[in-house]
Amino acid sequence: MNLSLIDPFVLAQDYPEALTGKLKSGHATCIRFNRKGDFLASGRADGIIVIFDVETNGVAHKLRGHTRQIQSLSWSRDSRHILSSSQDWKCILWDLKDGSRIRTVRFEAPVYIAELHPYNHFLFVASLFEDKPMLVDISSTIPSKRRLPSAPRRNQLDGEDITGKQAAQDAKHTTCITIFTSLGNHIIAGTSKGWLNIIETETCQTIHSTRLCNGVVIYLRLTASGRDMVSNSSDRVIRTIPIPDLSQVDLNIDNLKIEVEHKFQDVVNRLSWNHVAFSSTGEYVTASTYMNHDIYVWERSHGSLVKILEGPKEELGVVEWHPNRPLVAACGLETGRVYIWSIISPQRWSALAPDFAEVEENVEYIEREDEFDIHPIEEIHKRRLDLEDEHVDVLTIEPTKGEFEEDAFRMPVLLDVDNSESEEEIVAVGPGTMRRKSPGEGREWMNGVEDAGSSDDRGMKRAATSGGVKSSNKSRRK
């Protein structure tokens, strides 16, 4: 019904226009839409992961297991599992059916970012701080970690001899970002020296390397089809790169070329970019700015700037585009709120009834001759009975635009108050009674068994003191 009330010309617009809403549940540091686009995962600074329902903007789930800030989030293809990486040196694979932890993997260094395999949620790649990236298989209870190379592969066909000095420089490369290709057969890695390495997933060997820029490759992201990639680097230039089909049987690695299609930058202000993302169709590129509160949107066909989304008066961090809507979400660095930009669509009320007409100004209505006739009570009662005999189906869920297969995973609805509470500092404790929330309230899960034991001890002490009070009262009565 709501879809029919929207003007179809508004639905055809590809990019958002204005700030339309915001979400608040703690201090968000990273966000990620699932593949279907009905849920938005938000990682907080206190290690809690909040799952928002995009339709209602309500909290659908809360996942507790990390103790430090969440660095990245990655959804599985069926949206049932989500992988989180944190500054506590751990990666956790969650099952959203019941909110349980399937696997917990601890590393020897902080994790930059972790990305799930597109078809196997028990396989992921992690980029580590000042260490080589790892391909982790968690299909068994004991995870299998394989180190990936960071040094670029030199092409010997060009007559370039690898000297000792060159080898020493290659050893200084550290991988900052790793992502899977669309099929998951290869891994694309960006290094601190501006190189792109294509690594084969099965053998963990670098099959191709190319120089992308002179700075650090900060972030990489593929389109939904996997045919194009956008990169953000420290030289303040955003690049879009067509990715060749690496699954060809007769692919010649030596003749493989990866060339930059477009370069986007702010020549006047020389702005740096915090985060980049593709639109749902891959036709637009959006980026959040460093030390600024605007979001830039470029069109890839002409390479021109089409929109600057003005947001709140704070710097924005991670920015994400909805998988099938002109909707952009970004998290603020100061307040931790999640801001949403979309299209303000005027509702088309003429869709409610075929004879409903919208008018610009008041007009004099001329009624029909029999429109206000008084009918007998028996006839009115008969009409009501006929209407009651009509069968109204309120249980069947009709598929809407953007939905995929019918047997897809649906997150269960949680009716627990603790998982849907507001994040206000003032909480209600009774009718007309308010108090300020204590600093450690709601974080008892971090203390585990010790907290439970201490609460039992407290209960025993209270029982003892209450028993002592009762005995003293009896002696006084005597």
Side-chain angles (χ1 to χ4, degrees):
M1 177 180 173
N2 293 332
L3 193 63
S4 61
L5 292 179
I6 300 176
D7 192 354
F9 293 102
V10 175
L11 290 175
Q13 189 168 343
D14 294 331
Y15 54 87
E17 290 182 340
L19 183 67
T20 56
K22 56 186 176 181
L23 306 174
K24 176 65 175 177
S25 179
H27 193 289
T29 56
C30 63
I31 54 176
R32 191 75 179 265
F33 284 104
N34 65 336
R35 180 170 171 262
K36 189 177 173 183
D38 52 351
F39 291 107
L40 174 66
S42 168
R44 302 193 334 196
D46 57 359
I48 299 177
I49 302 166
V50 182
I51 310 295
F52 289 102
D53 190 335
V54 177
E55 292 295 333
T56 63
N57 291 344
V59 176
H61 220 307
K62 284 188 178 181
L63 307 174
R64 294 178 170 91
H66 291 287
T67 57
R68 295 290 181 89
Q69 175 179 316
I70 304 296
Q71 286 292 105
S72 68
L73 298 167
S74 179
W75 290 85
S76 63
R77 193 173 186 84
D78 59 355
S79 299
R80 176 172 176 174
H81 304 91
I82 187 170
L83 178 72
S84 60
S85 66
S86 172
Q87 289 182 0
D88 58 4
W89 300 17
K90 290 190 298 184
C91 288
I92 299 178
L93 181 66
W94 305 85
D95 187 357
L96 294 181
K97 187 175 182 179
D98 53 1
S100 62
R101 283 177 264 180
I102 301 177
R103 297 284 188 274
T104 301
V105 182
R106 183 173 179 83
F107 296 94
E108 299 299 324
V111 184
Y112 273 138
I113 187 170
E115 189 80 14
L116 275 178
H117 190 277
Y119 291 96
N120 181 11
H121 62 270
F122 285 116
L123 188 68
F124 71 91
V125 61
S127 304
L128 306 179
F129 177 71
E130 292 184 352
D131 200 352
K132 291 184 178 181
M134 286 191 178
L135 181 65
V136 186
D137 186 1
I138 52 177
S139 54
S140 60
T141 54
I142 301 176
S144 172
K145 302 177 183 178
R146 291 190 291 173
R147 292 185 180 274
L148 301 177
S150 296
R153 180 179 182 268
R154 300 291 179 177
N155 194 354
Q156 297 290 341
L157 296 178
D158 298 338
E160 183 181 350
D161 296 331
I162 301 178
T163 61
K165 184 178 180 181
Q166 188 69 56
Q169 290 181 357
D170 290 347
K172 296 180 180 179
H173 284 255
T174 57
T175 301
C176 302
I177 174 69
T178 50
I179 59 172
F180 282 101
T181 55
S182 58
L183 296 178
N185 297 329
H186 297 84
I187 299 170
I188 303 177
T191 70
S192 58
K193 302 291 185 181
W195 283 76
L196 281 182
N197 296 331
I198 298 179
I199 305 170
E200 198 170 15
T201 305
E202 186 176 354
T203 62
C204 293
Q205 296 296 324
T206 303
I207 61 173
H208 181 77
S209 297
T210 183
R211 187 66 176 266
L212 183 67
C213 61
N214 294 323
V216 180
V217 180
I218 301 173
Y219 191 72
L220 299 173
R221 174 64 73 86
L222 292 174
T223 56
S225 62
R227 298 176 182 174
D228 298 282
M229 183 177 69
V230 62
S231 70
N232 180 25
S233 53
S234 60
D235 61 355
R236 306 180 183 184
V237 179
I238 298 172
R239 297 170 174 84
T240 56
I241 308 155
I243 299 298
D245 187 6
L246 301 173
S247 61
Q248 296 178 7
V249 180
D250 55 347
L251 179 65
N252 190 357
I253 299 299
D254 296 328
N255 296 333
L256 188 65
K257 290 185 179 180
I258 297 179
E259 298 179 350
V260 177
E261 179 189 31
H262 289 296
K263 293 183 178 180
F264 304 111
Q265 58 182 326
D266 191 336
V267 183
V268 179
N269 299 321
R270 296 291 297 166
L271 294 174
S272 298
W273 315 103
N274 288 336
H275 199 268
V276 292
F278 271 118
S279 66
S280 54
T281 59
E283 298 176 0
Y284 297 90
V285 175
T286 182
S288 57
T289 53
Y290 175 69
M291 297 293 290
N292 202 341
H293 54 267
D294 294 334
I295 291 181
Y296 284 60
V297 180
W298 294 275
E299 186 182 15
R300 283 184 56 206
S301 59
H302 299 90
S304 59
L305 180 67
V306 295
K307 188 73 175 177
I308 298 179
L309 299 174
E310 296 182 358
K313 302 301 181 183
E314 66 171 317
E315 184 181 349
L316 301 171
V318 178
V319 58
E320 288 289 329
W321 199 301
H322 194 275
N324 46 50
R325 290 187 196 172
L327 184 146
V328 170
C331 55
L333 295 182
E334 296 178 8
T335 62
R337 288 189 177 92
V338 178
Y339 299 94
I340 296 176
W341 290 260
S342 61
I343 297 173
I344 303 174
S345 54
Q347 292 182 330
R348 189 166 51 98
W349 295 105
S350 58
L352 288 174
D355 56 347
F356 190 92
E358 298 182 12
V359 294
E360 296 291 337
E361 56 184 7
N362 293 334
V363 295
E364 186 177 353
Y365 178 72
I366 303 175
E367 67 272 7
R368 298 191 305 272
E369 184 178 353
D370 58 343
E371 186 172 0
F372 297 105
D373 291 350
I374 300 175
H375 299 282
I377 300 178
E378 294 80 7
E379 185 177 350
I380 296 175
H381 185 63
K382 184 175 179 301
R383 289 179 184 176
R384 289 178 180 174
L385 292 177
D386 293 340
L387 291 174
E388 290 177 359
D389 292 339
E390 294 182 4
H391 177 69
V392 180
D393 187 8
V394 296
L395 299 177
T396 305
I397 302 175
E398 297 181 357
T400 58
K401 181 182 177 183
E403 288 192 353
F404 297 99
E405 57 274 3
E406 294 182 0
D407 56 346
F409 169 73
R410 295 181 183 274
M411 190 183 300
V413 178
L414 293 182
L415 301 179
D416 190 359
V417 179
D418 293 335
N419 287 291
S420 60
E421 92 240 321
S422 64
E423 297 294 330
E424 300 295 333
E425 293 296 326
I426 306 297
V427 294
V429 295
T433 307
M434 308 291 287
R435 68 169 176 84
R436 185 174 294 276
K437 186 183 290 187
S438 59
E441 186 175 350
R443 296 174 63 93
E444 294 82 1
W445 58 272
M446 296 178 61
N447 299 327
V449 183
E450 301 175 7
D451 224 14
S454 61
S455 62
D456 295 342
D457 296 341
R458 289 192 212 105
M460 294 173 64
K461 290 178 181 177
R462 287 172 186 164
T465 50
S466 61
V469 172
K470 289 179 181 177
S471 60
S472 60
N473 289 337
K474 288 180 182 178
S475 60
R476 287 175 184 174
R477 286 172 189 167
K478 290 178 181 180

